[in-house]
Amino acid sequence: MTGARSAGGLPPAVLPVFIDVASELGVDFQFFNDARPDRFFLPEMMGGGIGWVDYDHDGQLDLLATNGCVWPEREKTPASTVSRLFRNRSGSGFDDVSFSAGAACRAFGMGCAVGDYNSDGFSDIYLTNYGENILLANLGDGTFSDATAASGTGDPGWSTGAAWFDADGDGDEDLYVVNYLDLTLENHRVCRYEGIAGYCGPGSFEAVPDRLFLNAGDGTFLESAVALGMVGDDGKGMGIAVLDLDDDLLPEVYVANDMAANFLFTRGPRDEVADDESAVRYRDAAIPAGCALSGSGQVEASMGIAWSDFEGDGHVDLYLTHYYSRKNTLYRNLGGLHFHDDSFGSRVAAISKQFLGFGTVALDYDRDAASDLFVANGHVLGPNMLPFELQPQILRNDGRGRFDDISSLAGSYFADARLGRGVAQADFDNDGDTDLAVASLDRPLSLLRNQTVTGRHFLGLQLRTPNRVAPVGGRVVVTVGGKSQVQPVVSGGSYLSVSDTRLVFALGAAETAGQVHIFWPSGRVDQLSDLSGDRYWTVMEGHPPCLLP
């Protein structure tokens, strides 16, 4: 497999340096998947989400990890086998506060989503599970309370991805929950591949409809997917990303479905829905938009989602991870909600066919203003089938939206095969470099500190709104030296995971950002000039920026 890891030419000017500091910083965790010999129960192969969340509002990003349990005898699960929350000590280390904070949940965990559903200024956590999901309400005193029953957001099936955003435009955060398969211990089966026993794929089971929980504003939610038109055919969902893909400041909901057409839910123009909540309706535009299937019209496995303006044309593209011996897919955004499968032209097809991707994030590891990609890989058929463990990848963007696999130049972590699953990016030490947390089924959680030396400056932005609803659907344009960079405000992404919501822009040799334009979902545009670099700014809509505490 070494041939697939060629850098495709001369080495980049700046080589990536990522060091696993999890053990050093006190992050001691490994996902428990309850795998049992010869059972081949598919949920054993699929879990492991990660979330970055400043739960105590101290300006430091804390780390959440979902966990599995003994199934179905959850009461037999060891007391320590719970979801875990690690409190960040200003980047110098982490403390396990899972039990003291009330975040230790015993469930067959999958993913997580972070939002503020009651608009009290403190981040709440939604955990998706195989089995009933869990809503943890942040009490604002460093602890959480289980609000699942009171809120009505339990959803007892098999959920994977989830995302918070204001779906109906009423000024509070709603919740989209991605569901996967109708699979139970009673109907699960063992499949054979050339006579070898392994896990069955999604084709062996029926799909389960996704859910949209509308926030009633009183702590309760009403399931409203059908009412708002968020219903697609045969959705076996894995990933979700909510972001504006057509520059109308209204977010689209993109759902990655496993061996089924992906969904792209979009709503009508703003003037059609502004005064009539009942008119807020979505339609699935993925087929006409060109991002439901591959360029050759094939369904794909669609696990993880990353996004960025990869070639710098002002439009946000989509990148999806897929199955072994197929390809990952890069959908170029042509504008006007039209996409083109550019997997071959971008070279991501050639460098992904010998891998099976799960979590993925876009990151500018060398601050050259061109988004690179990280992919966690690992197979799903079981240990009897080879390959099983696979190396992670880092793909360098040449600045024109074409990628080279430089994993072989990136250090020891990238040489080690594993069963990678969830990935979330964050600048957990606030130094302007994007770090990574990676969950694996067969290894402890990795915390990859970015120690790449570039000498280039950065600008960090945290956006806030007066009603405390995340401005999902908005975007920021930063112009430095006549060149503009565009980044959207997004909810969801990767696989089962939540990344740092702050936006980081590369400034190169410049010490300030010349022009910053913030396009808010409300329609307001704020223009800022000469913001100093190498620091994070908080920007409240309609107010001057202030330094992030």
Side-chain angles (χ1 to χ4, degrees):
M1 233 175 278
T2 55
R5 305 177 69 78
S6 167
L10 294 175
V14 178
L15 294 177
V17 179
F18 286 89
I19 306 298
D20 190 348
V21 295
S23 179
E24 172 189 336
L25 297 187
V27 177
D28 180 14
F29 173 80
Q30 182 167 340
F31 187 87
F32 174 74
N33 68 340
D34 192 34
R36 304 184 193 181
D38 301 321
R39 183 169 72 165
F40 297 107
F41 185 49
L42 187 57
E44 301 168 358
M45 279 289 101
M46 306 306 291
I50 299 169
W52 289 102
V53 51
D54 181 6
Y55 83 96
D56 52 0
H57 218 280
D58 65 351
Q60 307 294 325
L61 286 170
D62 312 299
L63 182 60
L64 170 75
T66 68
N67 208 350
C69 69
V70 175
W71 191 266
E73 306 91 0
R74 280 190 291 180
E75 67 280 0
K76 296 182 180 180
T77 306
S80 59
T81 305
V82 291
S83 57
R84 302 284 283 277
L85 180 63
F86 297 91
R87 185 175 183 270
N88 188 346
R89 300 194 311 269
S90 301
S92 63
F94 290 82
D95 295 319
D96 188 340
V97 296
S98 309
F99 289 93
S100 61
C105 298
R106 183 178 295 173
F108 207 110
M110 291 288 151
C112 57
V114 174
D116 183 5
Y117 79 91
N118 52 7
S119 299
D120 64 355
F122 292 91
S123 295
D124 309 299
I125 297 171
Y126 188 76
L127 300 175
T128 62
N129 302 308
Y130 177 81
E132 187 174 52
N133 300 335
I134 299 171
L135 175 60
L136 295 177
N138 192 330
L139 302 181
D141 59 359
T143 66
F144 292 87
S145 175
D146 188 336
T148 309
S151 66
T153 58
D155 199 9
W158 184 1
S159 299
T160 51
W164 294 94
F165 71 108
D166 186 359
D168 55 0
D170 66 350
D172 52 28
E173 293 190 349
D174 310 301
L175 177 66
Y176 191 107
V177 178
V178 179
N179 284 323
Y180 191 33
L181 304 176
D182 180 12
L183 185 153
T184 66
L185 283 171
E186 289 70 33
N187 72 6
H188 102 282
R189 64 195 73 171
V190 177
C191 286
R192 293 191 172 273
Y193 304 91
E194 298 181 356
I196 300 174
Y199 293 89
C200 292
S204 299
F205 308 98
E206 296 297 319
V208 177
D210 297 345
R211 303 285 186 255
L212 175 67
F213 293 102
L214 284 187
N215 193 336
D218 59 0
T220 66
F221 291 78
L222 178 65
E223 204 291 304
S224 305
V226 173
L228 266 71
M230 288 189 176
V231 178
D233 294 330
D234 194 32
K236 299 175 180 180
M238 303 285 274
I240 180 173
V242 183
L243 69 165
D244 178 17
L245 290 167
D246 56 1
D247 296 337
D248 64 355
L249 300 179
L250 295 172
E252 276 70 46
V253 179
Y254 188 68
V255 180
N257 290 318
D258 191 358
M259 299 309 295
N262 302 321
F263 301 152
L264 179 65
F265 295 114
T266 184
R267 48 188 281 202
R270 183 176 299 277
D271 58 1
E272 292 183 9
V273 300
D275 299 320
D276 183 4
E277 183 177 318
S278 65
V280 178
R281 291 279 298 177
Y282 289 79
R283 60 184 175 86
D284 183 4
I287 293 287
C291 57
L293 308 167
S294 73
S296 60
Q298 302 297 310
V299 294
E300 297 180 294
S302 302
M303 269 77 82
I305 308 172
W307 63 88
S308 185
D309 176 12
F310 289 112
E311 75 272 34
D313 66 354
H315 299 303
V316 178
D317 312 303
L318 296 169
Y319 175 81
L320 274 72
T321 56
H322 296 308
Y323 196 72
Y324 181 78
S325 78
R326 302 305 185 350
K327 68 170 180 63
N328 293 347
T329 298
L330 181 66
Y331 291 111
R332 295 281 188 210
N333 189 340
L334 306 178
L337 219 60
H338 294 288
F339 294 83
H340 166 65
D341 182 347
D342 193 28
S343 307
F344 293 94
S346 65
R347 301 197 287 246
V348 302
I351 56 182
S352 60
K353 284 190 175 182
Q354 298 304 307
F355 297 91
L356 192 158
F358 274 89
T360 181
V361 293
L363 72 163
D364 185 1
Y365 82 85
D366 53 0
R367 293 190 196 156
D368 66 350
S371 290
D372 314 298
L373 285 162
F374 175 90
V375 185
N377 295 303
H379 220 301
V380 294
L381 295 185
N384 298 332
M385 302 289 295
L386 296 177
F388 189 41
E389 297 173 322
L390 295 165
Q391 295 98 335
Q393 292 173 284
I394 187 162
L395 311 179
R396 182 179 184 269
N397 186 343
D398 69 356
R400 294 173 291 176
R402 296 183 301 182
F403 292 86
D404 295 312
D405 186 344
I406 59 169
S407 309
S408 62
L409 306 175
S412 60
Y413 177 83
F414 292 88
D416 194 8
R418 60 192 69 222
L419 295 178
R421 293 299 183 258
V423 178
Q425 61 86 9
D427 180 11
F428 76 86
D429 49 9
N430 291 330
D431 64 354
D433 297 321
T434 301
D435 311 300
L436 298 165
V438 186
S440 301
L441 287 182
D442 59 336
R443 306 291 176 87
L445 185 149
S446 296
L447 181 57
L448 303 180
R449 173 174 264 160
N450 187 346
Q451 296 183 332
T452 307
V453 177
T454 68
R456 297 162 179 162
H457 301 285
F458 77 94
L459 174 72
L461 298 175
Q462 176 75 74
L463 304 188
R464 306 285 190 195
T465 63
N467 65 359
R468 293 173 173 166
V469 173
V472 177
R475 67 182 180 276
V476 177
V477 181
V478 171
T479 303
V480 181
K483 182 178 180 180
S484 294
Q485 303 169 54
V486 178
Q487 291 194 38
V489 181
V490 184
S491 181
S494 190
Y495 173 74
L496 307 181
S497 300
V498 179
S499 288
D500 190 345
T501 59
R502 297 174 299 179
L503 305 179
V504 180
F505 295 85
L507 300 183
E511 296 183 357
T512 62
Q515 295 289 329
V516 177
H517 290 84
I518 304 175
F519 297 82
W520 301 92
S522 66
R524 179 187 176 92
V525 181
D526 284 335
Q527 181 175 333
L528 310 173
S529 299
D530 299 321
L531 278 183
S532 300
D534 296 333
R535 64 197 67 188
Y536 283 94
W537 295 90
T538 297
V539 183
M540 177 71 73
E541 182 177 2
H543 295 271
C546 61
L547 288 175
L548 188 70

